[in-house]
Amino acid sequence: MQRLILDGEKCTTKETTHHILKEGLGLPDYYGANLDALWDVLTSDFSERMIVIRHPESILKNLGGYGVSLLRLFEESKQENSHIHIVYSYHF
């Protein structure tokens, strides 16, 4: 199973976030680095993937509405593709 740890504190911009996703998930060079492209990848590739999201509150803080859409996309993609596992890790 492929595993990516997405640290919300490092998701400071849309571009940085998609770069982390591209590198961590081994996405191809033609990856569009936007939410539509991420949706396409997560719902059409049926290899087992676990995405651990650390500090999801930082994603919301740093990216605002885009962060809300990103986290919603993760939730919806796991409903669409049973091979996607999303785990949230909060710092207390």
Side-chain angles (χ1 to χ4, degrees), residues 39-49 74-86:
W39 172 261
D40 289 344
V41 168
L42 293 180
T43 59
S44 63
D45 183 343
F46 298 103
S47 55
E48 293 286 332
R49 289 184 167 150
F74 285 134
E75 286 301 311
E76 292 175 358
S77 67
K78 78 176 184 182
Q79 293 173 8
E80 189 76 22
N81 181 352
S82 63
H83 300 277
I84 300 293
H85 308 277
I86 306 294

Side-chain angles (χ1 to χ4, degrees), residues 54-88:
R54 287 188 180 159
H55 310 289
E57 69 282 1
S58 294
I59 292 175
L60 299 174
K61 178 183 172 191
N62 294 336
L63 302 179
Y66 195 84
V68 172
S69 296
L70 178 64
L71 295 179
R72 185 177 301 135
L73 182 148
F74 285 134
E75 286 301 311
E76 292 175 358
S77 67
K78 78 176 184 182
Q79 293 173 8
E80 189 76 22
N81 181 352
S82 63
H83 300 277
I84 300 293
H85 308 277
I86 306 294
V87 177
Y88 293 93

Side-chain angles (χ1 to χ4, degrees), residues 7-18:
D7 186 344
E9 292 184 345
K10 294 181 180 176
C11 296
T12 55
T13 66
K14 296 177 194 176
E15 294 77 16
T16 301
T17 302
H18 283 286

